[in-house]
Amino acid sequence: MTYGHFGIRITSRLLNKYEGFCCGPYSLEGILLMAQDHFKPQPNQVILSSTLNSTITWLEALSFAIMTRSSCDESTNPLLTKMAHDLVPFLEFIVGSNVQTLDLDVPLVATHVPYTSLPKSIINSCCKVVYICSDPKDCYHRKSSAMEDLHLEDAFEFFCEGLSSYGPYWDHLLGYWRASLESPEKILFLKCEDLKNESIYWVKKMAQFMGYPFSFEKEEKGVNAKSLEVNKSGITQFRANELTAKNDTFFMKGKVGDWNNHLTLEMAMQLDQITK
């Protein structure tokens, strides 16, 4: 098929420019062929979104746990034996499935699609969107597979120029942030740093926003998802096994400020200037 975009080759992967953003061919096909024309969200659907490498796996796990806490206990929750990506389908990778009748027991769908490229069926519906972002410095050094064979300095320049998967990074954030200001009842904008530092407060806020509020004050014993065996081994498959990834690659250190161990002071200052 012919796309209304141009391609940018970065190392071994081709990034396609679509509506001002870069994405891989599989993601672009998902946006054009499936999402825009066919995806019909359930009335109670919650869309989980982030840029690439902005802790969406954590958001998926938290959201799934919130929605299933009344039907699953600590010993039966599917998160103990399955990856969050296996439990929460990705909008871009449902190509080929019967999306018109996508009926999920747990109405969660994840995506990296920019706000301006979301299907109109989502924008015009009553379903809700939860977006999470990270400090660009922390997000950058978690290099995507599109950049893994680049030198750090080259990958850094591509990132700053917006030539990264679902980039430019800042435009991605701004799209959801502005939408959250216009429609706070439909879009919840989260920062990874806030969620880590004030976890109980923000998990309760997420639960309230998603329509699954806590009925009483309760602090539950936490489980480190990264430590679960299912997340340390095994492979997650996308698109009828066309795309695969090791499960442990979806889990980062989760340490705010870890960019200090990867970026020079000059790099950090450059990213801060772009962010401002």
Side-chain angles (χ1 to χ4, degrees):
M1 66 179 295
T2 301
Y3 298 126
H5 70 287
F6 61 88
I8 306 166
R9 183 163 295 281
I10 297 179
T11 65
S12 61
R13 289 191 58 185
L14 180 69
L15 291 179
N16 302 279
K17 199 79 169 182
Y18 177 69
E19 296 187 346
F21 290 88
C22 295
C23 56
Y26 285 111
S27 300
L28 183 60
E29 183 182 359
I31 295 169
L32 290 178
L33 293 183
M34 188 279 294
Q36 295 290 0
D37 296 330
H38 301 294
F39 182 71
K40 297 179 181 179
Q42 302 175 41
N44 62 339
Q45 197 92 59
V46 176
I47 310 297
L48 308 176
S49 181
S50 79
T51 59
L52 200 65
N53 298 331
S54 281
T55 63
I56 197 168
T57 308
W58 187 23
L59 182 63
E60 289 173 338
L62 284 174
S63 301
F64 189 89
I66 288 171
M67 283 193 174
T68 59
R69 72 179 190 277
S70 62
S71 58
C72 303
D73 58 33
E74 291 182 358
S75 63
T76 61
N77 196 293
L79 286 168
L80 295 174
T81 56
K82 292 184 178 181
M83 270 282 297
H85 285 324
D86 292 328
L87 300 171
V88 182
F90 250 80
L91 186 64
E92 295 92 305
F93 297 124
I94 313 176
V95 177
S97 65
N98 192 355
V99 295
Q100 293 89 339
T101 59
L102 183 64
D103 186 15
L104 303 172
D105 292 333
V106 181
L108 289 171
V109 171
T111 186
H112 291 309
V113 173
Y115 182 78
T116 52
S117 297
L118 284 176
K120 297 300 184 288
S121 59
I122 292 177
I123 303 296
N124 299 328
S125 72
C126 59
C127 68
K128 296 185 176 181
V129 177
V130 180
Y131 182 83
I132 191 167
C133 67
S134 302
D135 183 319
K137 298 190 294 295
D138 279 329
C139 182
Y140 159 68
H141 77 73
R142 306 163 188 160
K143 294 185 295 181
S144 69
S145 58
M147 295 184 175
E148 64 183 1
D149 50 348
L150 285 175
H151 292 298
L152 178 66
E153 293 77 10
D154 294 332
F156 176 80
E157 289 304 321
F158 279 125
F159 183 82
C160 290
E161 294 172 11
L163 301 179
S164 58
S165 295
Y166 299 98
Y169 180 84
W170 299 270
D171 291 345
H172 201 291
L173 267 63
L174 283 172
Y176 281 93
W177 179 68
R178 288 168 177 157
S180 72
L181 296 180
E182 295 175 359
S183 305
E185 75 286 354
K186 291 184 61 175
I187 302 173
L188 178 63
F189 190 94
L190 300 175
K191 296 179 181 179
C192 177
E193 294 79 11
D194 292 341
L195 186 57
K196 181 174 178 61
N197 294 331
E198 300 178 86
S199 300
I200 295 175
Y201 171 82
W202 285 106
V203 167
K204 289 179 180 178
K205 190 172 182 68
M206 283 174 56
Q208 182 72 38
F209 176 80
M210 293 162 59
Y212 296 80
F214 290 94
S215 58
F216 55 88
E217 297 292 325
K218 183 178 180 181
E219 295 184 17
E220 297 182 309
K221 181 180 178 181
V223 174
N224 182 349
K226 185 177 180 180
S227 68
L228 297 176
E229 186 60 35
V230 66
N231 297 328
K232 292 189 293 185
S233 60
I235 294 176
T236 294
Q237 299 172 330
F238 301 99
R239 283 284 303 262
N241 303 341
E242 293 180 37
L243 300 175
T244 61
K246 293 181 179 180
N247 288 349
D248 60 2
T249 63
F250 295 107
F251 291 89
M252 311 300 176
K253 292 181 180 179
K255 181 180 179 182
V256 175
D258 191 43
W259 60 266
N260 280 288
N261 298 316
H262 302 268
L263 303 181
T264 66
L265 180 59
E266 291 74 16
M267 286 177 169
M269 291 175 63
Q270 184 174 342
L271 281 179
D272 285 341
Q273 185 61 41
I274 296 173
T275 303
K276 291 179 182 180

